[in-house]
Amino acid sequence: MKRYGIFHLNQLEYAISLTQIRKIVQNARTFLLPRLPRAVSAVLVDEGQLVPVLDLGLLSGQPSVTDEELCAYQVLVESEYGTIALPAALNGAIVAETKGTLSDSTESKMSWIMNEFIYQNVRYKILDINFLAIEMTQNFWRNQLDTSGARRH
Amino acid sequence: MDHNKKLIFQLGRIGFLLDLTHVVEVVDPVQGLFDPGRSDIAQGIVAALRFRQTWIPAVDPALKLGLSAQKKIVARAAIVLHGHEGNWAVLADSVTELSFADQLIPCDIPFLLKVSAMGYYSQVFLLNNEPWVVFDPEDYYGASAQSA
């Protein structure tokens, strides 16, 4: 049975397939490194490894979210290129796919959205983790809401 | 052995490690010993520092690393280093402590950050589960820094 982690961050509601989630950590300390890419807000240390924290505020065109209460969770997700961390508010949940519906609409879909998972009338954007990992860490991210012309990975 | 000791300093809310063998002395703060009129920004030199009856170049790594220093320049500390061309100084927000190398755990730079790190730092260690960036003086002053 497929399940999703559903999360909120400011104006963004997003979902990630549970198979991609490595762990969720609460109140993780974050650190700066020199010359971090613009779309990487910090790094955290998990089991002796550095993990880039993506600035998901850029996905919704919102200012960067650094408030500790608003992003009390860090969702550690496995991409093909390594682990990344996505900030989230405390009200996340794990939901079976059968409890909601997948959107069949392909209209105005952005490159970083694989699909939408609709649960309790909220449309959660299912993130394309590999796309975001590359675009946001390699300085390809242009802060645009629609990167439909960008590369696919 | 000084090889086994690292000087820890902070700059722009980032922690750095410096091999103690490079260090001559720490001057903190630099106020009153500083001549910002004698700068060469192209070489990263932001001022001259009065040190042991002579003037030495003071380099601000924040310029190269794109950091915002947390203190005004005259309130910062200077770490005086040996160099091939004589002593020179690195400016830091604060010099925290000494640490022994065997307390440091090497940590890989994530694949996704290797490109952004290239040319700026190449080693990170963990100390008390916090990342510390190895500061290589040759990247900031001298012939090799200019060729880079």
Side-chain angles (χ1 to χ4, degrees):
Chain A
M1 179 174 57
K2 185 157 188 175
R3 289 181 291 175
Y4 292 101
I6 56 173
F7 304 97
H8 303 256
L9 182 72
N10 210 356
Q11 303 295 313
L12 176 70
E13 287 85 28
Y14 67 93
I16 302 168
S17 172
L18 197 60
T19 57
Q20 292 181 292
I21 297 177
R22 189 168 118 195
K23 67 164 76 167
I24 300 169
V25 292
Q26 188 172 352
N27 298 328
R29 285 188 67 193
T30 57
F31 306 92
L32 295 177
L33 289 178
R35 295 285 178 186
L36 282 176
R38 278 177 297 128
V40 175
S41 58
V43 296
L44 58 79
V45 179
D46 178 66
E47 296 179 6
Q49 302 295 317
L50 296 175
V51 179
V53 180
L54 301 191
D55 183 357
L56 288 193
L58 297 175
L59 300 188
S60 55
Q62 300 293 314
S64 300
V65 181
T66 54
D67 188 306
E68 288 182 7
E69 285 188 22
L70 289 177
C71 45
Y73 282 154
Q74 297 287 350
V75 185
L76 273 57
V77 182
E78 297 289 2
S79 78
E80 287 180 16
Y81 314 101
T83 308
I84 54 174
L86 309 178
L90 276 174
N91 53 348
I94 306 294
V95 179
E97 189 179 80
T98 53
K99 298 282 187 183
T101 55
L102 289 173
S103 168
D104 51 8
S105 167
T106 55
E107 286 181 16
S108 64
K109 195 182 285 179
M110 299 167 194
S111 297
W112 48 275
I113 303 173
M114 299 186 80
N115 205 338
E116 287 184 323
F117 178 60
I118 305 165
Y119 174 69
Q120 294 183 343
N121 297 318
V122 177
R123 301 177 81 91
Y124 293 89
K125 296 172 174 62
I126 302 174
L127 302 184
D128 185 337
I129 295 302
N130 293 326
F131 181 85
L132 288 176
I134 287 293
E135 293 286 319
M136 298 186 84
T137 62
Q138 306 306 303
N139 274 329
F140 298 142
W141 193 264
R142 302 250 184 269
N143 205 13
Q144 72 278 45
L145 290 177
D146 187 348
T147 55
S148 52
R151 295 157 302 285
R152 300 295 304 185
H153 302 280
Chain B
M1 286 285 290
D2 286 349
H3 281 296
N4 196 34
K5 288 182 185 169
K6 306 288 181 188
L7 185 76
I8 293 178
F9 68 93
Q10 298 273 347
L11 180 60
R13 296 195 294 141
I14 295 176
F16 292 89
L17 294 169
L18 175 62
D19 199 307
L20 201 59
T21 54
H22 297 295
V23 179
V24 178
E25 189 174 320
V26 175
V27 178
D28 187 9
V30 296
Q31 190 161 23
L33 302 168
F34 212 58
D35 182 1
R38 301 166 72 174
S39 64
D40 184 349
I41 297 300
Q43 292 192 64
I45 300 168
V46 295
L49 178 75
R50 185 84 177 154
F51 179 71
R52 295 181 183 170
Q53 287 78 52
T54 188
W55 291 97
I56 63 172
V59 170
D60 186 359
L63 297 177
K64 178 173 180 176
L65 296 174
L67 305 177
S68 298
Q70 302 293 294
K71 290 182 177 176
K72 289 181 181 174
I73 203 158
V74 293
R76 290 160 71 184
I79 306 165
V80 180
L81 306 176
H82 298 289
H84 296 301
E85 300 156 15
N87 291 337
W88 61 288
V90 168
L91 297 179
D93 284 331
S94 61
V95 178
T96 315
E97 58 185 306
L98 289 176
S99 179
F100 287 95
D102 56 10
Q103 297 173 320
L104 302 167
I105 301 166
C107 180
D108 289 337
I109 297 169
F111 171 77
L112 289 167
L113 296 181
K114 282 191 187 296
V115 171
S116 64
M118 201 176 295
Y120 300 104
Y121 63 98
S122 58
Q123 279 186 290
V124 177
F125 284 86
L126 297 179
L127 176 64
N128 301 325
N129 221 29
E130 295 180 24
W132 298 84
V133 177
V134 173
F135 184 87
D136 186 348
E138 291 192 354
D139 289 343
Y140 294 86
Y141 181 69
S144 57
Q146 286 176 47
S147 61

